Amino acid sequence: MIRQRVLLGNLRPDPSASAKITAGKATVTDTNDHVSLTVLELGSPAVWRMACRKVGPPDSLSQYGSTSFRSRGGYLLVCASATGFSTSGQAMTGMDLSIDDTCHGTIQIFANKKNWHLAFVPADFLIKSIPPGDHTLVATPAAGTTIDSNDAYAITVFEVMAPPTVLNVTEVLANAPAAGQTGGEWVASGAFSSYGGTLIITSAASAYSHSDAAKLGMTIQVDSQDVGSMQAFANPKGVHLGLPGNDLVVTGINAGKRTVSLVADAGTATDANDRCSVTIIEVATTTWP
């Protein structure tokens, strides 16, 4: 399955509002499955806007999709997820993202088996110097990747409108290779600067198990303190699988240089074919009257 980011506007105040995730008619879940849902209220005026969004099956066998948008210039946050497959197996697969013919990022996953449709590890790419005007974003299969009508993708482009003192976005890891480890060890980490307060930590990764029917998991840490986790269930051993991405709301972060890390659970293995993504979004908070 792919991760989606949706911007809802003009909602009336409702303290009892709820959000629900409903499975498709052919989709079955049990206690081995996991889900993540985060609702971020931006306030008014909003500190960012959705410049464009494209979701659905690929437009063709050679392209996921293309969409145009207009920017005031400055910061963009490009959120991407997709599926694809390899016709040979034992190959890295992925989706390339280009804006105005310049590649700004790739999301990937290693395909052990041929013709298995797999979800790539999603990522958020921060573009700091987009010029004002009209732009075109194109998403295409990366080298070694095949797509058909059974695949899907979701791309959302947000324009960051507030100054860094109000909203700070740090691309800590974006499709970064994982460290090689056999379980229970460090997978990846990166440094970021915080003004102190509330963070939204977006994380995603892939991993595999050395045994069949095993739980995969990673803990997200800030300065060695656990702040959340992400999990998946591995039916076959030795197959690289994506862990459902998680958006964590973390409070009480002290100002200064911080480190965010991904640590594997026991039995969760990674190697250089696995990928990790972590984005830090720092928001100004207020108390509603």
Side-chain angles (χ1 to χ4, degrees):
M1 294 183 182
I2 60 173
R3 182 185 71 185
Q4 292 192 36
R5 302 200 184 280
V6 180
L7 184 65
L8 302 177
N10 301 318
L11 296 180
R12 294 182 177 181
D14 185 357
S16 62
S18 63
K20 181 186 296 184
I21 297 177
T22 304
K25 292 182 179 180
T27 302
V28 180
T29 58
D30 60 25
T31 55
N32 290 314
D33 295 299
H34 298 270
V35 63
S36 296
L37 174 65
T38 301
V39 177
L40 172 63
E41 191 159 18
L42 300 177
S44 181
V47 293
W48 55 10
R49 73 177 185 92
M50 187 171 68
C52 66
R53 182 170 181 263
K54 194 77 180 290
V55 177
D59 292 345
S60 67
L61 299 182
S62 61
Q63 178 176 290
Y64 283 97
S66 174
T67 183
S68 298
F69 64 94
R70 176 167 293 183
S71 172
R72 299 180 184 179
Y75 281 61
L76 294 180
L77 185 65
V78 181
C79 309
S81 62
T83 67
F85 63 98
S86 167
T87 56
S88 61
Q90 298 299 310
M92 188 65 71
T93 59
M95 178 176 73
D96 293 330
L97 295 163
S98 297
I99 296 179
D100 302 334
D101 299 322
T102 298
C103 184
H104 285 281
T106 301
I107 55 175
Q108 297 175 305
I109 197 165
F110 187 79
N112 296 83
K113 304 290 186 178
K114 67 178 182 180
N115 299 328
W116 279 22
H117 294 261
L118 298 172
F120 311 138
V121 177
D124 301 329
F125 298 98
L126 182 64
I127 302 172
K128 296 183 178 180
S129 57
I130 197 77
D134 295 324
H135 305 279
T136 300
L137 182 149
V138 179
T140 55
T145 305
T146 303
I147 57 175
D148 60 25
S149 59
N150 293 311
D151 290 299
Y153 74 103
I155 300 171
T156 307
V157 178
F158 291 104
E159 187 167 23
V160 181
M161 301 168 65
T165 53
V166 176
L167 174 66
N168 190 39
V169 181
T170 304
E171 179 191 296
V172 180
L173 301 168
N175 197 52
Q181 55 85 42
T182 58
E185 301 176 59
W186 171 86
V187 175
S189 69
F192 67 96
S193 296
S194 173
Y195 292 103
T198 300
L199 303 179
I200 298 170
I201 302 178
T202 296
S203 61
S206 66
Y208 65 97
S209 170
H210 288 297
S211 59
D212 294 328
K215 288 186 176 181
L216 301 175
M218 289 187 194
T219 298
I220 300 96
Q221 298 181 341
V222 174
D223 296 340
S224 300
Q225 298 296 313
D226 295 356
V227 297
S229 63
M230 47 186 176
Q231 297 176 317
F233 188 82
N235 294 90
K237 66 180 180 181
V239 175
H240 295 262
L241 299 171
L243 281 63
N246 202 352
D247 293 348
L248 304 168
V249 179
V250 181
T251 60
I253 298 297
N254 293 326
K257 297 288 187 179
R258 309 267 74 87
T259 299
V260 60
S261 304
L262 302 179
V263 181
D265 292 352
T268 299
T270 56
D271 60 27
N273 290 315
D274 289 298
R275 295 293 181 265
C276 305
S277 297
V278 176
T279 302
I280 307 293
I281 301 174
E282 190 160 16
V283 297
T285 58
T286 186
T287 300
W288 292 102

